[in-house]
Amino acid sequence: MKRAGFTLTEMIVSLAASVILIAGLLLGAVGLQRTLHDNETFATSYADQRRVIDVVSRDLRRAIGLSIIDSGGVSSPFTSGLVAVGDGTALVFALPAYYQSNVPTDPTYDKPLVAVTTGERLSYGDVGGVKPEVPVQFSKEFVAAANCVCFVRKEADHSAIVVRDAAELFLKVTMAADGRSCVVEAWFRSQARGVKPVISTYDRVMLRNIRTD
């Protein structure tokens, strides 16, 4: 003979099983959400890491001179050792003056200079001679407009943010003993749960245009 319903004990057991199942689903959803967040954070940090290396490497390849500005504002040539960009220390590239003007409103802003041969070197200028190099400063600083610490590239009167939220992203440039190449290294600490390893990558850049005379 069939029973018409459930006993109180069976109902309690069923309810308990449902609660356990729902709790398991919730925990699984939270764990999945955390994993997705960790992966997204890692991907963003890695992309920022590569971006800052690529921008610095590009300027290094074009530079005809390098210098360091320390936290006291004192400039000195960068010919050996290493420089960690941050805490008031900036890296300065001396780039050839490719264009006739650095003022965006000037009609000659996008007009290239002509190539000028000076001894064994090829530079840029006009009938008056070689034009002075353009200083480009690369620094890590707090930017009020972005309300965060950023890597910033400043060329002439123009300033551009390379990486936002860069407080936990670090950069150093190490000069080779012969002064003809350098290593650009950037690293950050993974924000994944558990062990938080340091994620580091680097590029070696040839300094073919650096003047030694």
Side-chain angles (χ1 to χ4, degrees):
M1 183 176 179
K2 284 187 170 182
R3 291 187 300 170
F6 296 99
T7 65
L8 179 60
T9 301
E10 289 174 332
M11 293 179 63
I12 293 175
V13 170
S14 299
L15 181 60
S18 299
V19 169
I20 293 173
L21 179 61
I22 293 172
L25 291 173
L26 289 175
L27 288 174
V30 171
L32 180 60
Q33 185 177 21
R34 286 179 176 176
T35 300
L36 292 174
H37 178 267
D38 290 345
N39 289 339
E40 182 180 4
T41 301
F42 181 89
T44 300
S45 298
Y46 185 77
D48 289 343
Q49 181 187 55
R50 287 306 318 173
R51 185 182 305 111
V52 73
I53 289 178
D54 289 345
V55 170
V56 171
S57 297
R58 180 195 62 185
D59 284 337
L60 283 170
R61 293 187 184 97
R62 297 189 297 158
I64 56 179
L66 297 171
S67 59
I68 301 170
I69 297 180
D70 63 22
S71 56
V74 178
S75 177
S76 59
F78 179 38
T79 56
S80 62
L82 64 87
V83 54
V85 178
D87 295 328
T89 299
L91 182 61
V92 179
F93 313 92
L95 303 184
Y98 294 116
Y99 298 99
Q100 296 181 27
S101 173
N102 287 317
V103 181
T105 56
D106 195 312
T108 60
Y109 177 70
D110 58 353
K111 304 296 183 182
L113 293 165
V114 297
V116 178
T117 302
T118 57
E120 297 180 351
R121 299 186 181 280
L122 185 66
S123 300
Y124 300 88
D126 53 25
V127 293
V130 176
K131 290 293 185 180
E133 63 268 13
V134 177
V136 172
Q137 180 173 309
F138 195 85
S139 60
K140 181 181 179 180
E141 59 188 71
F142 179 81
V143 179
N147 195 32
C148 62
V149 174
C150 306
F151 277 106
V152 179
R153 183 182 184 274
K154 300 175 182 177
E155 179 175 348
D157 295 330
H158 179 68
S159 180
I161 294 176
V162 177
V163 174
R164 297 175 182 269
D165 295 322
E168 299 303 320
L169 178 61
F170 305 92
L171 175 76
K172 70 176 180 181
V173 179
T174 304
M175 185 70 68
D178 60 2
R180 305 307 298 170
S181 67
C182 61
V183 172
V184 184
E185 182 181 4
W187 67 95
F188 64 92
R189 186 173 293 279
S190 173
Q191 296 303 306
R193 289 169 293 169
V195 179
K196 299 182 183 299
V198 172
I199 309 300
S200 176
T201 190
Y202 68 91
D203 280 356
R204 183 176 295 276
V205 180
M206 300 301 296
L207 304 176
R208 294 185 174 91
N209 299 316
I210 296 294
R211 295 181 303 202
T212 58
D213 55 353

